Amino acid sequence: MGICCCCYRSSVPSTLLPVVLGRVRPGGIRRCAPGQTDSRHDMDGILLLLLPQLSPIHVIETGGRPAPADGRPARTGRRAAGPHRQTGRRPAPVPKAERGRGRLTSGAGRHDRAAARETIGYVTALIPRPRAEVAPGAVHVPGWLSTDEQAELAAAGRDWARPPAGMRATRLPSGGVMSVQTVCLGWHWIPYRYSRTADDGDGAPVKPFPGWLAELGRRAVADAYGDPGAAGAYRPDVALVNFYDEKARMGMHADREERSLAPVVSLSLGAACIFRFGNTQSRNRPWTDVELASGDLFVFGGPSRLAYHGVPRIIQGTGVPGIGLPSGRLNITLRESGLE
Ligand code: SIN
Ligand code: MN
């Protein structure tokens, strides 16, 4: 997608420009040639802004290349985004009369929004993300971990990954192998039970669950639920530390191997992902797709403790510099096993 800063400038309050233009990814923006006016640009694509100043939702359509005569949509210069791959639909081409000049509209369709969001993930990274109760007892707290805490957890993750009882891709009873790689602390998870030893690996004793991680878990529950009392009783003794490369994913499942129904605390590091949070009845809809970015906390307990959830996709190109995780995503879930 090409975004012309001049078209953009004509459409957006100037106070926003330093923020947005300063952070757009290299090559994602181009300047007018001297003397060129925005009406002469051959612009394509859609820029979606969710900045508070432009609430609720505004789309800047920067024009488009002529649509082919057979009615197929105009090319955007980029492969169709995820939602298009699922539905086979694409956003409607920009009408001829509106091509060539940037314009600001509000109330984009859901489909266009999803497409634009995918295309310009680098802009959505700038958008304030409020905490949200996704379902009763399921709370997303964006940016909960500081950069230092993320770096410490990433370093710990590297240590935990080493053998004995190190990180491995779990083999499922069906014969398949998970694309996610996992190392466990406290109790070793094998589908679908816990053991004190890595029975599906080198047989070594599982690494201990550190006291500082339990303390972090209590702080997470306190902050997510705003209830220090409930958090004080939280005694996580299992961690599943999952590494996702950019192609890895996790199917919809419920965390049912624990005997305790205390909340699950999930901490995300590195590349962002789509975290699909569903319902307690089945793997199917309704669900909510939440973008979990580096440093985000997600806690699910109470009525949502046994809800199905999964990770359909890692969002490419969203890694975070400075935390010692150059690629991929690390997710740490803390649980109370209820086991002796
Ligand atoms: C899990 O469900 O165990 C992991 C979820 C995640 O990676 O966010
Ligand atoms: Mn899970």
Side-chain angles (χ1 to χ4, degrees):
M1 180 171 82
I3 301 169
C4 167
C5 63
C6 299
C7 296
Y8 192 47
R9 202 176 289 272
S10 69
S11 309
V12 183
S14 59
T15 49
L16 295 179
L17 287 172
V19 179
V20 177
L21 294 185
R23 301 280 293 273
V24 168
R25 97 181 142 185
I29 193 156
R30 64 182 170 83
R31 290 185 177 277
C32 311
Q36 194 177 23
T37 67
D38 62 0
S39 63
R40 289 166 53 194
H41 293 178
D42 174 25
M43 299 302 297
D44 60 356
I46 298 168
L47 173 61
L48 175 73
L49 296 173
L50 291 169
L51 294 164
Q53 294 89 333
L54 295 174
S55 65
I57 287 170
H58 289 79
V59 171
I60 296 171
E61 293 174 359
T62 54
R65 296 190 186 124
D70 62 4
R72 281 180 291 119
R75 285 169 52 83
T76 62
R78 211 188 123 103
R79 205 157 59 95
H84 307 154
R85 286 199 295 273
Q86 281 164 19
T87 62
R89 288 182 290 128
R90 289 174 183 235
V94 176
K96 201 169 183 179
E98 291 166 10
R99 280 183 213 140
R101 182 167 178 84
R103 73 191 176 101
L104 189 63
T105 58
S106 62
R110 202 161 52 113
H111 184 68
D112 285 354
R113 250 180 268 156
R117 194 185 187 91
E118 166 101 2
T119 307
I120 56 156
Y122 50 91
V123 171
T124 61
L126 303 171
I127 295 163
R129 298 177 304 138
R131 60 183 284 131
E133 186 162 16
V134 171
V139 181
H140 176 209
V141 188
W144 186 71
L145 293 163
S146 69
T147 305
D148 284 352
E149 288 170 323
Q150 293 175 53
E152 281 163 28
L153 281 168
R158 258 195 308 281
D159 282 346
W160 295 328
R162 295 196 175 97
M167 190 167 257
R168 91 296 188 206
T170 308
R171 187 170 289 280
L172 297 167
S174 62
V177 176
M178 290 177 71
S179 55
V180 175
Q181 298 177 63
T182 308
V183 62
C184 306
L185 308 175
W187 287 90
H188 181 83
W189 180 79
I190 311 158
Y192 295 95
R193 66 184 174 92
Y194 281 112
S195 169
R196 284 293 194 190
T197 45
D199 300 343
D200 59 346
D202 56 14
V206 67
K207 294 185 170 80
F209 186 97
W212 62 263
L213 197 54
E215 193 49 49
L216 189 67
R218 279 187 282 281
R219 195 152 60 78
V221 171
D223 285 358
Y225 292 150
D227 181 355
Y234 188 51
R235 296 273 177 275
D237 61 343
V238 186
L240 267 60
V241 181
N242 290 319
F243 179 74
Y244 297 73
D245 66 22
E246 293 211 325
K247 297 220 170 72
R249 59 189 63 206
M250 188 179 286
M252 293 296 274
H253 66 280
D255 296 346
R256 291 182 175 277
E257 281 71 66
E258 303 77 25
R259 294 209 187 127
S260 162
L261 288 179
V264 174
V265 166
S266 156
L267 303 167
S268 293
L269 307 168
C273 77
I274 301 298
F275 180 62
R276 180 161 289 171
F277 198 77
N279 60 86
T280 53
Q281 302 303 307
S282 80
R283 300 184 150 73
N284 307 323
R285 293 172 193 274
W287 59 53
T288 305
D289 281 351
V290 180
E291 194 171 307
L292 292 185
S294 196
D296 285 11
L297 165 67
F298 195 97
V299 177
F300 53 102
S304 286
R305 173 60 179 79
L306 297 178
Y308 285 87
H309 56 277
V311 177
R313 188 160 60 86
I314 300 298
I315 305 175
Q316 303 220 343
T318 52
V320 190
I323 64 164
L325 192 62
S327 69
R329 168 176 188 258
L330 203 62
N331 174 261
I332 304 173
T333 49
L334 313 183
R335 305 126 189 249
E336 267 188 18
S337 69
L339 300 168
E340 294 299 328

